Amino acid sequence: MAGNVNKVFLMGNLTRDLEMRALPSGMNVGSFGIAVNERFKSKDGEWQERANFVDCEIFGARAEAMARFLGKGSPVFIEGKLRLDQWEDKQGQKRSKLKVVVDNFEFVGGGRDAQGGGGGGGGGGSRRSEVSVPDDGPAIDHDDIPF
């Protein structure tokens, strides 16, 4: 195989408001969860739905914009990459967690103050707009991330 690809596209609803924190460099980081529904047919031929919950992080000005305009329940489209964090807990057990590091996001629906959802089908179509956020400069130095 010639190379590797690490690209993720998800559309779902935020499971909580962004939790903001600052890195030692001063760059802001927003942590949030997204619920993505999966629809499938069971062995009986019945349609079923299952929610998948994914942890995500977003950095810099994009994190600030997302925290300002989106909150728990807001529909959003995200684009990013998978990252595996590994650490040892207080009991000495090796732990790991797979998360999405968000590069870009788009509003889907009405944002923080909108009534109702925008995640499913039906109803009057959803509004989708891209956030124009200035590039945060050079790439993130992963040594700066404290985990």
Side-chain angles (χ1 to χ4, degrees):
M1 184 169 185
N4 297 302
V5 176
N6 183 357
K7 198 66 152 171
V8 175
F9 298 94
L10 297 172
M11 188 162 62
N13 295 77
L14 297 185
T15 60
R16 62 185 184 273
D17 290 340
L18 268 74
E19 298 168 15
M20 298 294 289
R21 69 181 192 284
L23 297 176
S25 67
M27 179 181 283
N28 286 324
V29 181
S31 298
F32 64 97
I34 187 171
V36 180
N37 291 334
E38 171 185 5
R39 192 165 189 244
F40 61 96
K41 272 192 178 179
S42 68
K43 293 177 185 176
D44 305 335
E46 300 288 323
W47 282 103
Q48 295 185 352
E49 208 167 282
R50 171 177 37 220
N52 296 292
F53 300 96
V54 181
D55 289 322
C56 305
E57 285 186 331
I58 188 167
F59 293 84
R62 288 177 180 87
E64 295 164 20
M66 187 175 232
R68 187 170 43 249
F69 296 110
L70 298 176
K72 181 178 180 178
S74 296
V76 67
F77 175 82
I78 62 172
E79 173 187 348
K81 55 190 163 281
L82 291 175
R83 184 179 72 209
L84 179 66
D85 291 336
Q86 298 177 309
W87 69 96
E88 202 170 286
D89 68 15
K90 292 178 183 176
Q91 291 77 32
Q93 296 290 320
K94 292 187 184 232
R95 309 274 298 174
S96 63
K97 184 176 204 172
L98 193 61
K99 64 175 65 174
V100 174
V101 176
V102 177
D103 295 323
N104 293 301
F105 73 96
E106 293 183 23
F107 297 109
V108 180
R112 181 184 289 274
D113 297 326
Q115 297 291 324
S126 64
R127 187 190 71 182
R128 187 170 160 179
S129 60
E130 188 168 341
V131 176
S132 177
V133 178
D135 190 0
D136 291 327
I140 297 166
D141 180 4
H142 291 286
D143 293 335
D144 189 33
I145 300 173
F147 44 83

